[in-house]
């Protein structure tokens, strides 16, 4: 039969559980705020500091405080003896109060008191640690939980909670806190995406819906690996009249009979290349469907995870290079860095791993085509809105890359994919940590000549300002059709970059479409790195300041989307 002490503990548990379930939305918002702060602190998500986090955290603290006051009030109103035993911080002498309501001998009451407190305290701290691990890992960038900063923060807060529980918190509140933490741990296992992760989740949902629609008769797929040049189709075909729909690789479908009044539907052009007899059929749980391209270091395959309909671009090191330990370390380092790059207007890393000693990197498969192919087939961009959307999207991508301490070093039209969802920045194959650590094979070139900044021809350290220079060259190329430093030979290109400056006619093409954008481009092409916007974030600020009415930073994505809709892909 339950005694008064047992009933009191059950009442505390019941009150805490009811309050926690009733305030579950507050808990979910507070956990989302914690995840956003973690992303922002790691520089892994420009949306990390989104509004609403402070209010949600204060709301969660208020719920906890009011629950504590309510539990203590219930104990005091019920029995002053129970309040003395459970309503005060841990003290072995408090066990004597429990003997009155539990009818136990003093030594038994003391044992029950100490054991219950220790078990509840350890369970509470364990559940809190599990909750933090879930918040830092579920849907978050890989290895974020393994960072020294994350471990130090969790360890410090864990020690603080233990000290508060032992010396300050009433024993009855430890029981209530245990109930709260159990619910929080369960909620953290189903944490929703936040920041750029939420944007990517929505894009994935839209793409999945689009796959159910009839595929465009002319799907474009990447035909080159990370560092190989774009190879156009041997037989050009007319672009589709309907808007692009994100499509996946697949076996060519037979022609679909058209209505008598409609033009005939052409068969799909061939995509990718078939696998050779010596090539594997699976890597890391992915079934290889074809070869997208190959280079001196690795090969990029069209792949599909077994049991899934989603197709990816899977990059792996060539077999003959697997004995190069230094190369394997660089590939692993590159994979870790790429996994941290924000998904806003960049190609997203989906998975990394090692299969039988062979490392691989799975990235999202994009629809569309590179900017250089678009310029060859359709000519320069003539829409001012589309040109500004391209400039803004690339600046957002560089902002996220530079926040991680990376320099792209090879920004050029071939590495800019024009997709239906907007531009995407590709190929971080020769990116380097700002401190100078190279992530590519020895002997790799430092970039493409007509998009290289003056400092890349000297001995000085190359920083984020070199990417800003390349950004300006790409914007000019989009409006003019060629780099502003294009010339007939290598010597003439270098002289134009380090001495004479950009082609005036090329800058005039941007000026004719968007004078404000042209002013920022001119500044970004300053010979001295310190005279340019320092990085992607400074570039975004310069673009905003150059407009007659500076847009709200939160509206930049909408501005890009609206402008991109004016471009005929």
């Amino acid at each position: 039969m339950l005694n008064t002490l047992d009933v009191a503990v059950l009442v505390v548990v019941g009150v805490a559980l009811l309050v926690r379930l009733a305030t579950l939305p507050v808990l979910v918002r507070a956990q989302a705020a914690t995840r956003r702060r973690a992303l922002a602190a790691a520089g892994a998500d420009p949306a990390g500091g989104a509004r609403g986090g402070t209010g949600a955290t204060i709301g969660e603290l208020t719920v906890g405080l009011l629950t504590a006051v309510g539990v203590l009030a219930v104990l005091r109103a019920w029995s002053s003896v129970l309040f003395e035993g459970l309503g005060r911080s841990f003290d072995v002498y408090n066990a004597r109060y429990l003997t009155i309501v539990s009818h136990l001998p003093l030594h038994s009451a003391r044992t029950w008191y100490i054991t219950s407190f220790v078990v509840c305290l350890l369970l509470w701290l364990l559940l809190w640690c599990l909750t933090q691990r879930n918040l830092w890992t579920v849907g978050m960038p890989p290895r974020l939980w393994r960072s020294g900063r994350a471990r130090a923060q969790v360890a410090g807060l864990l020690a603080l909670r233990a000290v508060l529980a032992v010396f300050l918190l009433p024993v009855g509140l430890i029981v209530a806190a245990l109930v709260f933490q159990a619910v929080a741990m369960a909620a953290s296992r189903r944490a929703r995406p936040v920041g750029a992760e939420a944007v990517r989740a929505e894009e994935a949902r839209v793409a999945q819906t689009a796959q159910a629609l009839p595929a465009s008769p002319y799907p474009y797929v990447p035909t080159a690996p990370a560092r190989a040049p774009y190879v156009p189709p041997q037989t050009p075909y007319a672009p589709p009249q309907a808007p692009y729909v994100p499509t996946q690789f697949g076996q060519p479908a037979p022609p679909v009979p058209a209505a008598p009044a409609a033009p005939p539907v052409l068969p799909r052009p061939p995509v990718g290349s078939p696998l050779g007899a010596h090539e594997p059929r699976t890597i890391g749980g992915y079934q290889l469907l074809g070869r997208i391209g190959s280079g001196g270091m690795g090969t990029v395959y069209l792949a599909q995870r077994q049991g899934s309909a989603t197709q990816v671009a899977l990059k792996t090191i060539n077999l003959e290079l697997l004995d190069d330990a230094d190369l394997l370390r660089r590939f692993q380092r590159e994979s870790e860095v790429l996994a941290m790059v924000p998904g806003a207007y960049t190609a997203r890393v989906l998975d990394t791993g090692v299969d039988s000693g062979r490392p691989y990197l799975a990235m999202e498969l994009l629809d569309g085509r590179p900017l250089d192919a678009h310029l060859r087939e359709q000519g320069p961009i003539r829409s001012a809105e589309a040109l500004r959307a391209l400039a803004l999207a690339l600046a957002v991508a560089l902002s996220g890359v530079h926040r991680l301490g990376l320099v792209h070093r090879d920004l050029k039209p071939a590495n800019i994919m024009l997709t239906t969802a907007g531009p995407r920045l590709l190929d971080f194959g020769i990116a380097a940590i700002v401190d100078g650590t190279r992530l590519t094979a020895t002997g790799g070139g430092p970039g493409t000549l007509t998009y290289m900044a003056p400092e890349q021809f000297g001995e000085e350290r190359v920083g984020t300002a070199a990417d800003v220079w390349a950004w300006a060259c790409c914007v000019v190329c989009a409006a003019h059709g060629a780099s502003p430093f294009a010339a007939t030979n290598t010597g003439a290109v270098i002289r134009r970059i380090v001495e004479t400056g950009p082609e005036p006619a090329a800058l005039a093409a941007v000026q004719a479409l968007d004078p404000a954008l042209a002013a920022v481009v001119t500044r970004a092409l300053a010979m001295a790195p310190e005279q340019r916007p320092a990085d992607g974030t400074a570039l975004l600020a310069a673009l905003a300041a150059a407009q007659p009415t500076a847009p709200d930073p939160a509206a930049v994505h909408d501005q890009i989307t609206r402008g991109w809709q004016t471009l005929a892909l």
Side-chain angles (χ1 to χ4, degrees), residues 462-476:
V462 176
T464 53
D467 284 346
V468 174
W469 171 286
W471 168 88
C473 293
C474 289
V475 173
V476 173

Side-chain angles (χ1 to χ4, degrees), residues 89-285:
S89 59
F90 177 76
D91 188 336
V92 176
Y93 291 102
N94 289 340
R96 65 182 183 272
Y97 297 105
L98 301 181
T99 61
I100 301 174
V101 295
S102 64
H103 307 295
L104 292 174
L106 179 59
H107 68 278
S108 299
R110 185 180 293 116
T111 301
W112 183 92
Y113 180 75
I114 295 174
T115 303
S116 300
F117 173 78
V118 171
V119 170
C120 289
L121 175 61
L122 293 179
L123 283 177
W124 177 48
L125 296 178
L126 175 62
L127 290 177
W128 183 82
C129 286
L130 293 177
T131 302
Q132 295 303 306
R133 186 193 64 179
N134 290 340
L135 294 179
W136 285 70
T137 57
V138 177
M140 300 288 273
R143 298 172 178 83
L144 185 62
W145 170 247
R146 300 178 185 176
S147 68
R149 175 187 173 278
R151 296 299 177 86
Q153 177 179 329
V154 171
L157 291 176
L158 181 66
L160 177 62
R161 284 172 174 261
V163 171
L164 291 177
V166 173
F167 296 104
L168 294 178
L169 291 182
V171 175
L173 292 190
I174 302 296
V175 178
L178 176 59
V179 175
F180 265 46
Q181 200 60 58
V183 177
M185 195 272 288
S188 67
R189 297 181 63 182
R190 305 183 64 179
R192 296 180 180 179
V194 297
E197 286 289 336
V199 174
R200 292 197 290 267
E202 178 63 18
E203 290 176 350
R205 185 190 65 80
V206 174
Q208 185 176 6
T209 303
Q211 291 175 16
L213 300 176
S216 167
Y218 306 110
Y220 172 82
V221 296
T223 58
R227 288 205 287 264
Y230 172 80
V231 180
Q234 297 299 320
T235 304
Y237 56 91
Q241 299 301 317
Y244 270 61
V245 175
T247 58
Q248 302 288 351
F249 281 76
Q251 297 299 324
V256 179
V265 178
L266 299 178
R268 296 182 179 183
V271 295
S273 302
L275 296 174
H278 65 287
E279 292 182 294
R281 269 32 186 186
T282 61
I283 295 180

